[in-house]
Amino acid sequence: MNTPTIKDVAKAAGVSVATISRVLSNPDVVRPSTREHVLQVIKEMNYQPNVLARQLRIQETRTIIVIVPTIENSFLRGIIAGIGEEAEQQGYQMLIADLQSQPSLEKYYFEAVQQHQIDGIISLSANMTQKLVQQIAEKYPLVMAAQCISDYTIPSVSIDNVAASKALMTHLIRLGHRNIAHITVSPMQLPYQDRLNSYISVLKEHNIPVDQELISYGKPTITGGYDQMWTLLARQKKFTAVFAAGDTMAIGAMKALKDQGLRVPEDCAVVGFDDIDLSAFWEPALTTIHQPKEMIGRIAFQKLLALIQNNPITNNQEFLPFELIIRESCGYFL
């Protein structure tokens, strides 16, 4: 029989994981009847708390770690700024773990942080298996920012990537485009997976065939977008518009189109995602999805702080509003 987890105990007792944690670490704040019931369930299930995790929670260091896939991503820097500002106001310091686009490092950071005195984790990456992330979240304060794992209880804050991508694709289709290419990153990363799935579903909704040769994968950088656009052009497949899953890739794609002697949006419309600062100043200015970067960071820290302090989280998976910003790169309705 598998060793029961705190989540198993909470389910058997009919209470939250936070209540189980309070019974073990600060029993006086729990109603006597609830406390006695929980202790009885713990005894019956022979639950053995993770002593190290409990010590880390009790020995507050007022330090958190933020895991990012790469610090070069200017969109993520906006979220990090929001986390840092909120953390500073609450008297916490922030450490940044840069995966440097190497997914294997994420597991290393997650495992290493459990052996050190860090109060909690905010992850802006999701390269690990969802099952492993869930297991970590069950014994350590963890919040996901700018992404959401469906059907899991991990606290998160993001926009609805599926709905935002649908807004972009619908705009292109209303402009008359039917041959739309997609530049993206490995679908292992959740936000890009959602955007790819939405790209495909919108095409199907409008009875437009999905051509896998119009989908290109690469790095979420300007250089990555530049290279992916050349890859698409080399395939000699017809397309009149490109949905890039990130602004940096979109900007690189537009540079490649220009180097090929093609005009944006006259010969090929381009849309991006994230609304980084450069998007409004590039020529032509980029149509994109605006995300409230700093607010995502602030709310992510607030959720993490609630976990650290064993306080309830009313909105476990929180979606913030996004905005479709229409600029010159895809033209306007007539």
Side-chain angles (χ1 to χ4, degrees), residues 6-23 30-31 33-35 37-39 41-42:
I6 191 171
K7 185 178 180 181
D8 296 329
V9 176
K11 184 177 180 180
V15 298
S16 67
V17 170
T19 299
I20 303 296
S21 180
R22 291 191 191 99
V23 169
V30 183
R31 287 188 304 176
S33 58
T34 302
R35 182 174 65 238
H37 172 61
V38 168
L39 290 173
V41 172
I42 288 174

Side-chain angles (χ1 to χ4, degrees), residues 205-233:
E205 285 176 13
H206 289 83
N207 297 315
I208 300 173
V210 177
D211 188 344
Q212 293 296 330
E213 288 195 90
L214 290 182
I215 303 174
S216 181
Y217 303 92
K219 296 181 178 180
T221 61
I222 291 177
T223 301
Y226 185 90
D227 293 340
Q228 289 184 71
M229 177 53 72
W230 275 107
T231 297
L232 288 173
L233 293 170

